[in-house]
Each structure stands twice: as structure tokens, then as C-alpha cells.
């Protein structure tokens, strides 16, 4: 039976005698809470947690009725609307979890939750202390998920930016407290050390010199037992899990030097180096703190997004009067007033009024966007100059703002292969370092025993591969933050790696290379309607009624046309309406089969057109549409050509418009009249030729080809972007963002190579110098901290591109 708790590793109170059985042995625990959690873990078959954890678990408190009641409150649908996304069947939730300290914690949490019936997937991020949960809502209540985590010692609550900021402030305060103790004591110890080094106490009785040693020991002890304790704790947990982490060589250096100096003090023999220990503990903590601040800078953009949401909203009552309510209480279908200068509290459609809105916080585009009736506005954006009323259509976790935050967390939670490889290399590097340090100690002990100990410590500290472990994660974090600011949302971890390898890009036409805002340029009527305006008006109304059922951009041309529109056909007169993918829409109208869609669907007309109206399979009208080419389309194609990346235009439009656009943009590879399957086959052929292909589309009918391409990029197609299958979403639908994305990926690869080179060069050059005794321990500490800070600072350059 141990003197520390088997679960949380804290001291056991006197007189408390409770234990749990593990591996046929009784292990003492410090309280009933830890006993309950340990038994739950062991009985659940998750004992590997105790084998592989690298940090102590947090002390557990027993669940009390008040806590259980709070968990139950999370099942309230009104409360869930603020942080749960998904539908009535499958839900998604981002949880902040207190107590995560290592990879074993992540494993334990995933094992516990996946054991609950209804949980589909769990992604735990040990760096952000968050978990993304996917579960079947009818099978499992949210309170059960949070209660299950509490039973194994983890306090969980829905992610909130304010709580996250408070947590980071607490971490920062902890660093500052430890730094303060180390800095204050270092100054005091250094005064005595300098005096002794420069002979200021020469001629003094040896008893006084020993007295100053005891003072130095007293001053250095708080530094070791408080400021340096996290290094030792992490190292011990790593050894318990049979893993060699970065804190092991540092701990050996600090605590080994402290032990040797204490021995010299107690037995009045040998040299003491309390000042060196204190100084490089202070410098190590300073380096860690600067690293922490740099990481905060890289991720602060996402944290700041949710702070943009206002606390209140102006709710329109039935009498037309406005009522100020908490923004969190808004419901779907509510009508709210937005005045000039106010921040929009939720996603919705403009009902009345016209204004301009600043959406730069999401899209990176600082030019205000004009909004009028039926236009979508988003939470967190700022209304400029008009008074508008808005009907809420998305709240809580379903707003575009919250989806951006969630998807960025997903991208950062999953790491690319190169990062995993680097972690393994770092572990082998630590093992090699320990072997080399042992050899150094043995050699120097035979050459000069008085210097062997400190030279070994210098080797341990100087060559610790901290910079190597930071080389990739910091660069990736900064890249994702930069792209999010520019309106480019990364959803998959492989994006930045894949982009540097692409040699072919396939474009959709409508809504991608063009704006997808069609207008009817010319209408041609056949039969009796050629000379009968009333029949023409009736056919236009019929086309408009059919297109009402389509989400394709072409449909909007008929709904907003300023042509003959004095006649309206009620939707009740249409029956059997059916949407045919890549063809059009068909229905029954007054006993006749009617349809609108592609030329040559039922009959072929000679006119240049994008839509044909059919009655009983005969063409009765043809419509030529015009669509404006997107800004920066030509510039992007020219950029890709300059990088030897071939461009391919794959369009479902069978008209010559696709060929004309290809000529205008200088795209040599064109396929017109493509079905979704045709696009998929064309991309598959490019892949068979050995090309790395990226597909850029509007994300509506491009799911098959998106899944085939190595990389998929979608233009923004609405607020519900989480349903998009693309790897990347362009929130501002700006093709220039694709160029920026490619440049960032290349720059990121270059920065990662620089970081790896810098860290390996540093370790490779400092190792022989330290082994030869040319690097004292305090310089070794500065070198190790400096290498880490240089790597982080180099990565931060990605934020300024």
C-alpha cells in the first residue's frame, strides 16, 4: 500500500483506509471519489489508462445531487440550442473538459464515451482540452454523456469562449507565479555566488562560507520543489507509461544538480551550484511561458470570433414594438430589428429594409456587402447604415460563426502524418540523448571527475529536442489561423500537405468560375407562342413555377426576371414534381407533362440556350442566360499555369457558354454537358495518369467528384457548411483565396523545413560542444530555450502573409 493515492497521486489523509484492487493487489486511495472513479475505470476494462498515463489525474469529488441536477438541465432543448448542432437524430457537441493532462486521458475519455450506446464518434484534443462528440440523440441524453465523464474524474461542460479564456488566464497566472518564485530566489542566490566567485569572502572563516551555502540551499529549495516540479512530474509520468518525453533530460539535470549540491552542503564536501540550478530553472520557465504566449497568439483569432456575438437583441413584438431580450433567448422564426452600427445576433433572412454589412470577421473581405430583402445575414457581422428587420433561421451552434469555430477545431484536432513521425523521432532522440549523456559522464569521470557531473548536465539540457517537437504543430496552427482570417476554412488535416503536391485543378463553371447569378438574356418561343404575347407570358409563368422547386443558380434567373411576369401559376396546379439530377425538373400540369431543363433532354433546339421548356416532350421555349465571370478567375488560372498546374473546366452546361468561358480564361482542357458521373470519371482518369488533382466547385452537385479528387474546395453555398463534403470552404467565394491558400501551403512547407533544419542543426552542433565541456549548464539552458523560441517565432511569420 502506497502513501499516495493510486488514482490522483495526492497524499492520503491520516486515518483514511480505503483501497481498490488492481492486478491482484490492493492500492490505497485518498477519498471515496477517487475510489469510485478508479473502480469504474477498472470494472470498465480500461486499466490501460493506469499503465500509459503520463500525468496525474485530478482529485475527484463525489457527485452530489446538485451536480446531477445541473447535468439534467443540459437536456433542456432551449439550453441545447446554444451549443448543439445537427438534426433530430444525430447531434454534434464541442465539450471543454477539465483534467486532461496527457494522451492516456484522451484514450480513457474516448473509451468511456464510446462504451455508451448511441455515441458514434469521439475526437479528443489534448492540447486544447476539448472533445468533439457525435451521438444519436434519441438513444442517449447529453446529461448521460457529461455524467459518464464525471464518473471517471473529468468535469465537462459545453465549450464557451469566456470559460476558455478564464482557463487560459489561470494557466498564465500559474506560469507567472512559478516564474516569480524562481526569479526572486535566483537573484538572492546569485548575490552570494558572485561574491564567492570573485573572492569577496576570501580570508573569512570556513564556517561562514558553509553558512552561506546553507542560505543558498534554503533559497534554492522553493525553486526546485515548486517552480521546477512540473518538469519532474511530467518526466515521472512518462516513465510510468514507458515513454521518454522532453522533460526527462531536463528533470535529470535540474534535480540531479540539486541533489549533488545538497549532498555537498550536508557533508561539507565538493562544490555547490545552487545559483546555476535556480537560473536555468528560471530560464526554462521563461522559455515555456513565451512558448505558451506564442501559441495563444496563433489561436486567439478563433477564440475572439465568439466574443463578437452581442448579448442582447431587439425582438419585434406582434404590435410592432421592439423588446430588448438576451440574444441567447432568440428562437427560430423570431423577427428582430437591427439598427446601424449594431452587431447581428443570429443568422437570418432580411425581411424589410436595405443596408450594407461588414462580414470581414468571417470572410477577410473588408468591403461592405449590400443586403436587401431575402438576403442572408450572419451572426457576428456588423450592420452599417440601414435599419433592417431579420427573420431568424439559424441559432446557437448552427450559426455560420459557430460552425467556423467547430470546423477549425476539427482541423487542429487531427494531425498530419509528418507530425506523428516527428513525435516518434523526438522520442528516439531523447533515448539517444540519454545514452550519449551516460557515455559522456563515463568518459569525463576518467578524465576529470570534478567536471564530469556538470558537463553531463549541460549535455542533457542543451540537446533536449523541444524545438523539434514544436517545429510542425506551431506552423500548422499559424497557417490555419491565417487562412481562417482570410475566409478560407480548412476542414481536413491533409489539406496543406496535399496542396503542395497538386499538378491539376478541375473547375466547375456555374457558381465557381462564374458568379452563378443568371439573368435571362434572350427568350425564344416556338409554335403559336411565337406571336402571342399572352401565351409567352403563360409559358414564362410555367417555367417560373417549375424552377421554384430547384436550388440550382439557373432557377433564380426565372424567379427574379423582369420579363413578362403578370401571370402567376399556383403551385397547387403542379403535381408529381420531380427533380432529375443534371437534367432538370418535370411535373404534370393540367393533364400535360411539363419539364424545364437541358437542351436535348426530350427534344433539341438549335438556339444557344441553357434551359428549354417542354410540354409533352416538345420544346415550346428556349432561354439563353448570361452569367458574369467571377473576379480574379483569369488571375487564378494564370497563376496556376505559372506553377505548371494544368487547369480543367468541367461543366454540366451543354451550351457553347462553357467553351467561350474557357477561351476567355485560357483554359485548354474543357468538357461540356457533364453529368456528376462524367465529372467523376474525368477526375479519375487524371488520377490514373499519376496526377494529384484538386476539384473546385459550388458544393451542390459536386459531392461524387469531391470524393474522387485528392483535394476538394467548395465555394460558400449557405450557412449550413458543415454538410458540405469539401476539404476546404471559401467563405467569401473569392477565387483569389485559392491562390492565397496555395501560397500559404507552400510557405508552410518551407517554414516547417526551416524549423526542422534549425532544430536539428542546433542539436547537432551543440551536442559535441557540450560533450567537450565548452558549454556551461546555464548557457545550455539559454540555447535550448532560444531554439524553441526561434522555431515558434519563425512559425508566427505565417500569421502576417
Amino acid at each position: 500500500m502506497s502513501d499516495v493515492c493510486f488514482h490522483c497521486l495526492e497524499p492520503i489523509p491520516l486515518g483514511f483506509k480505503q483501497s481498490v484492487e488492481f492486478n491482484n493487489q490492493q492500492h490505497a486511495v485518498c477519498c471515496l471519489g477517487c475510489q469510485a472513479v478508479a473502480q469504474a475505470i477498472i470494472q470498465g476494462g480500461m486499466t490501460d489508462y493506469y499503465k500509459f498515463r503520463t500525468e496525474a489525474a485530478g482529485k475527484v469529488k463525489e457527485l452530489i445531487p446538485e451536480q446531477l441536477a445541473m447535468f439534467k438541465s443540459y437536456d433542456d432543448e432551449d439550453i441545447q440550442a446554444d451549443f448543439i448542432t445537427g438534426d433530430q437524430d444525430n447531434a454534434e457537441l464541442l465539450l471543454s473538459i477539465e483534467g486532461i493532462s496527457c494522451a492516456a486521458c484522451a484514450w480513457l475519455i474516448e473509451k468511456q464515451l464510446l462504451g455508451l450506446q448511441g455515441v458514434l464518434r469521439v475526437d479528443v484534443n489534448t492540447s486544447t482540452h476539448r472533445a468533439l462528440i457525435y451521438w444519436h440523440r434519441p438513444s442517449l441524453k447529453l446529461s448521460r454523456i457529461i455524467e459518464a465523464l464525471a464518473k471517471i474524474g473529468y468535469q465537462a461542460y459545453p465549450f464557451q469562449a469566456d470559460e476558455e479564456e478564464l482557463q487560459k488566464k489561470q494557466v498564465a497566472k500559474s506560469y507567472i507565479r512559478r516564474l516569480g518564485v524562481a526569479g526572486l530566489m535566483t537573484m538572492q542566490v546569485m548575490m552570494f555566488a558572485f561574491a564567492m566567485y570573485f573572492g569577496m569572502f576570501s580570508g573569512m572563516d570556513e564556517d561562514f562560507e558553509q553558512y552561506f551555502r546553507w542560505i543558498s540551499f534554503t533559497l534554492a529549495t522553493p525553486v526546485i520543489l515548486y517552480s521546477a516540479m512540473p518538469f519532474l512530474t511530467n518526466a515521472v509520468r512518462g516513465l510510468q507509461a514507458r515513454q521518454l518525453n522532453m522533460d526527462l533530460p531536463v528533470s535529470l539535470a535540474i534535480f540531479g544538480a540539486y541533489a549533488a549540491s545538497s549532498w555537498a552542503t550536508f557533508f561539507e564536501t565538493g562544490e555547490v551550484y545552487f545559483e546555476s540550478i535556480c537560473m536555468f530553472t528560471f530560464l526554462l520557465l521563461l522559455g515555456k511561458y513565451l512558448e505558451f504566449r506564442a501559441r495563444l497568439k496563433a489561436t486567439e483569432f478563433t477564440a475572439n470570433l465568439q466574443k463578437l456575438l452581442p448579448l442582447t437583441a431587439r425582438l419585434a413584438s406582434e404590435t410592432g414594438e421592439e423588446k430588448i431580450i438576451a440574444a441567447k433567448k432568440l428562437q427560430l422564426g423570431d423577427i428582430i430589428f437591427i439598427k446601424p452600427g449594431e452587431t447581428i445576433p443570429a443568422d437570418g433572412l432580411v425581411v424589410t429594409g436595405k443596408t450594407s454589412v461588414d462580414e470581414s470577421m468571417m470572410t477577410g473581405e473588408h468591403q461592405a456587402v449590400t443586403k436587401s430583402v431575402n438576403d442572408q445575414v450572419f451572426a457576428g457581422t456588423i450592420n452599417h447604415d440601414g435599419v433592417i428587420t431579420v427573420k431568424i433561421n439559424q441559432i446557437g451552434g448552427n450559426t455560420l460563426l459557430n460552425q467556423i469555430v467547430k470546423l477549425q477545431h476539427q482541423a487542429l484536432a487531427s494531425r498530419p502524418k509528418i507530425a506523428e513521425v516527428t513525435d516518434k523521432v523526438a522520442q528516439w532522440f531523447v533515448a539517444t540523448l540519454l545514452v550519449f549523456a551516460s557515455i559522456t559522464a563515463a568518459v569525463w569521470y576518467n578524465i576529470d571527475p570534478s567536471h564530469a557531473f556538470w558537463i553531463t548536465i549541460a549535455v542533457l539540457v542543451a540537446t533536449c529536442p523541444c524545438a523539434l517537437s514544436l517545429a510542425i504543430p506551431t506552423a500548422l496552427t499559424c497557417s490555419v489561423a491565417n487562412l481562417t482570417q482570410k475566409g478560407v476554412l480548412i476542414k481536413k488535416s491533409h489539406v496543406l500537405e496535399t496542396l503542395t503536391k497538386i499538378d491539376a485543378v478541375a473547375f466547375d463553371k456555374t457558381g465557381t468560375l462564374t458568379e452563378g447569378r443568371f439573368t435571362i438574356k434572350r427568350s425564344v418561343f416556338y409554335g403559336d407562342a411565337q406571336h402571342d404575347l399572352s401565351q409567352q407570358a403563360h409559358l414564362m409563368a410555367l417555367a417560373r413555377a417549375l424552377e421554384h422547386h430547384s436550388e440550382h443558380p439557373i432557377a433564380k434567373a426565372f424567379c427574379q426576371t423582369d420579363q413578362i411576369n403578370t401571370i402567376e401559376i399556383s403551385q397547387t396546379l403542379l403535381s408529381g414534381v420531380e427533380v432529375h439530377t443534371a437534367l432538370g425538373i418535370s411535373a404534370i400540369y393540367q393533364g400535360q407533362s411539363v419539364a424545364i431543363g437541358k437542351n436535348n433532354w426530350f427534344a433539341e433546339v438549335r438556339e444557344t440556350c441553357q434551359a428549354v421548356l417542354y410540354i409533352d416532350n416538345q420544346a415550346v421555349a428556349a432561354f439563353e442566360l448570361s452569367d458574369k465571370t467571377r473576379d480574379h478567375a483569369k488571375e487564378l488560372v494564370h497563376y496556376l499555369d505559372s506553377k505548371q498546374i494544368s487547369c480543367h473546366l468541367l461543366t454540366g452546361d451543354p451550351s457553347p457558354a462553357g467553351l467561350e468561358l474557357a477561351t476567355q480564361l485560357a483554359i485548354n482542357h474543357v468538357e461540356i454537358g457533364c453529368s456528376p458521373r462524367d465529372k467523376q470519371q474525368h477526375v479519375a482518369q487524371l488520377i490514373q495518369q499519376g496526377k494529384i488533382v484538386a476539384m473546385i466547385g459550388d458544393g451542390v452537385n459536386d459531392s461524387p467528384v469531391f470524393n474522387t479528387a485528392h483535394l476538394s474546395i467548395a465555394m460558400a453555398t449557405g450557412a449550413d457548411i458543415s454538410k458540405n463534403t469539401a476539404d476546404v470552404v471559401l467563405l467569401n467565394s473569392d477565387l483569389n483565396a485559392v491562390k492565397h491558400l496555395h501560397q500559404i501551403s507552400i510557405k508552410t512547407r518551407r517554414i516547417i523545413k526551416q524549423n526542422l533544419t534549425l532544430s536539428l542543426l542546433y542539436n547537432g552542433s551543440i551536442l559535441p560542444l557540450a560533450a567537450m565541456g565548452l558549454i556551461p549548464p546555464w548557457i545550455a539552458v539559454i540555447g535550448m530555450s532560444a531554439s524553441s523560441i526561434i522555431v515558434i517565432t519563425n512559425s508566427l511569420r505565417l500569421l502576417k502573409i
Side-chain angles (χ1 to χ4, degrees), residues 103 171 276 394 400 515 548 678 717 723 760:
V171 174
S276 296
Q394 297 289 356
L400 178 61
E515 292 184 352
H548 176 78
D678 293 334
T717 56
K723 295 180 181 178
L760 292 174

Side-chain angles (χ1 to χ4, degrees), residues 103-115:
C105 292
W107 175 86
L108 179 61
I109 289 169
E110 291 176 0
K111 187 85 172 176
Q112 174 78 348
L113 293 184
L114 290 173

Side-chain angles (χ1 to χ4, degrees), residues 519-526 540 558 561 563 605-611 621-626:
T519 57
I520 298 178
K521 182 179 180 180
R522 185 170 67 99
S523 302
V524 179
F525 298 93
Y526 304 103
M540 288 295 299
F558 292 87
T561 180
Q563 304 222 0
V605 299
R606 295 182 178 180
E607 278 76 20
T608 298
C609 61
Q610 284 78 29
F623 306 98
E624 182 181 355
L625 308 176
S626 62

Side-chain angles (χ1 to χ4, degrees), residues 520 522-530 532 535-544 546-547 558 563 595-625:
I520 298 178
R522 185 170 67 99
S523 302
V524 179
F525 298 93
Y526 304 103
D528 296 338
Q530 291 185 60
D532 189 335
Q535 284 194 44
Q536 292 179 14
H538 186 269
L539 292 176
M540 288 295 299
L542 180 59
R544 189 159 51 252
L546 287 167
E547 291 287 13
F558 292 87
Q563 304 222 0
I596 187 169
K598 291 176 65 173
N599 189 4
N600 75 21
W601 184 9
F602 296 108
E604 186 172 359
V605 299
R606 295 182 178 180
E607 278 76 20
T608 298
C609 61
Q610 284 78 29
V612 177
L613 180 65
Y614 305 91
I615 296 179
D616 289 335
N617 297 346
Q618 296 298 315
V620 294
F623 306 98
E624 182 181 355
L625 308 176

Side-chain angles (χ1 to χ4, degrees), residues 495-631:
V495 169
L496 294 173
E497 279 185 290
T498 305
L499 265 170
T500 60
K501 305 172 184 175
I502 62 169
D503 47 22
V505 175
F507 293 94
D508 179 37
K509 180 177 78 72
T510 304
T512 303
L513 291 176
T514 64
E515 292 184 352
R517 298 178 182 176
F518 286 96
T519 57
I520 298 178
K521 182 179 180 180
R522 185 170 67 99
S523 302
V524 179
F525 298 93
Y526 304 103
D528 296 338
Q530 291 185 60
H531 308 291
D532 189 335
L533 294 179
S534 64
Q535 284 194 44
Q536 292 179 14
H538 186 269
L539 292 176
M540 288 295 299
L542 180 59
R544 189 159 51 252
L546 287 167
E547 291 287 13
H548 176 78
H549 297 275
S550 174
E551 294 295 329
H552 197 280
I554 286 179
K556 295 181 180 179
F558 292 87
C559 297
Q560 299 176 3
T561 180
D562 58 358
Q563 304 222 0
I564 303 170
N565 55 9
T566 57
I567 299 176
E568 291 294 336
I569 294 178
S570 172
Q571 293 296 322
T572 60
L573 298 177
L574 297 178
S575 62
V577 178
E578 186 176 354
V579 178
H580 305 267
T581 304
L583 292 174
I585 304 158
S586 65
I588 302 297
Y589 172 65
Q590 295 181 345
Q592 295 177 301
S593 63
V594 295
I596 187 169
K598 291 176 65 173
N599 189 4
N600 75 21
W601 184 9
F602 296 108
E604 186 172 359
V605 299
R606 295 182 178 180
E607 278 76 20
T608 298
C609 61
Q610 284 78 29
V612 177
L613 180 65
Y614 305 91
I615 296 179
D616 289 335
N617 297 346
Q618 296 298 315
V620 294
F623 306 98
E624 182 181 355
L625 308 176
S626 62
D627 188 12
K628 182 183 176 183
T629 304
R630 280 194 185 276
D631 295 336

Side-chain angles (χ1 to χ4, degrees), residues 185-195 197 275-276 279:
M185 298 305 176
T186 298
M187 288 189 293
Q188 304 303 318
V189 175
M190 290 297 290
M191 286 193 301
F192 295 106
F194 276 128
Y197 288 158
E275 76 287 348
S276 296
M279 182 168 60

Side-chain angles (χ1 to χ4, degrees), residues 679-732:
K679 293 182 181 181
Q680 185 181 22
Q681 289 177 342
H682 185 83
V683 168
Q685 288 176 1
L686 291 174
I687 293 173
Q688 288 176 357
Q689 295 170 14
K691 293 186 177 294
I692 307 297
V693 184
M695 177 68 197
I696 306 177
D698 61 7
V700 178
N701 297 319
D702 295 321
S703 295
V705 68
F706 274 5
N707 292 327
T708 302
H710 293 98
L711 181 71
S712 54
I713 302 174
M715 315 299 282
T717 56
D720 199 7
I721 58 175
S722 63
K723 295 180 181 178
N724 201 305
T725 57
D727 300 322
V728 181
V729 178
L730 305 183
L731 296 175
N732 52 14

Side-chain angles (χ1 to χ4, degrees), residues 438-454:
S438 301
I439 296 173
T440 302
V443 170
W444 273 98
Y445 188 79
N446 291 321
I447 297 175
D448 185 354
S450 63
H451 289 87
F453 183 77
W454 294 105

